[in-house]
Amino acid sequence: MKKYFGEKITKTGARNFARKFYSSKTWTQRSMVYRKMHPWCERCLKRGIYKPAECVHHKIHIDKTNYMDVKILLDDSNLESLCDDCHAKEHAKKETIYYDFDENGRLIDYTKESE
């Protein structure tokens, strides 16, 4: 399984505040159970695309103010199964452009869709 918190300790992000949590048995089991309940990327699924989820993402990002809050860390309401592409888009600083076509061949612009 990929480790999304990285190997290098940095000054920002979950790496400093939740490193032990992401390596814990509690998170490993919780994320495995969540992915079994939600095997498809939840954002792709909203667009009608069936793509396997590869990680469980925290909607409210973990930071130094909430890294001990069990509701933030483990509650279903703050978790989301994502594919690597959607997870990267979530954490990217730049806007990602995404286009698709509907069943009639009309262009659908998802660029401004905020998730």
Side-chain angles (χ1 to χ4, degrees):
M1 183 172 146
K2 292 182 183 177
K3 301 238 184 244
Y4 288 93
F5 55 80
E7 296 300 321
K8 184 177 174 185
I9 296 175
T10 63
K11 293 181 180 178
T12 60
R15 292 175 181 94
N16 283 336
F17 310 112
R19 192 172 183 84
K20 287 182 182 178
F21 169 73
Y22 280 123
S23 299
S24 72
K25 186 176 180 180
T26 300
W27 175 247
T28 302
Q29 290 176 340
R30 181 68 188 105
S31 64
M32 208 177 325
V33 167
Y34 190 87
R35 270 183 299 170
K36 283 184 181 179
M37 292 169 30
H38 306 274
W40 304 110
C41 173
E42 295 179 51
R43 293 188 186 180
C44 287
L45 206 53
K46 287 178 183 176
R47 298 190 314 263
I49 300 168
Y50 289 85
K51 191 170 181 183
E54 299 182 55
C55 70
V56 177
H57 172 72
H58 288 92
K59 295 175 188 174
I60 298 172
H61 297 184
I62 299 170
D63 62 25
K64 63 183 175 184
T65 65
N66 64 18
Y67 76 100
M68 298 291 281
D69 186 336
V70 176
K71 187 166 175 75
I72 297 291
L73 298 175
L74 300 171
D75 194 82
D76 279 1
S77 65
N78 191 43
L79 301 178
E80 182 177 34
S81 285
L82 297 179
C83 65
D84 281 340
D85 290 338
C86 287
H87 194 243
K89 287 175 189 174
E90 173 65 29
H91 289 284
K93 300 294 181 200
K94 297 179 182 176
E95 182 181 73
T96 302
I97 299 171
Y98 178 79
Y99 297 103
D100 202 357
F101 296 92
D102 67 13
E103 62 277 354
N104 297 317
R106 290 184 295 240
L107 183 68
I108 303 170
D109 182 359
Y110 291 105
T111 303
K112 295 178 183 173
E113 181 176 277
S114 59
E115 295 185 53

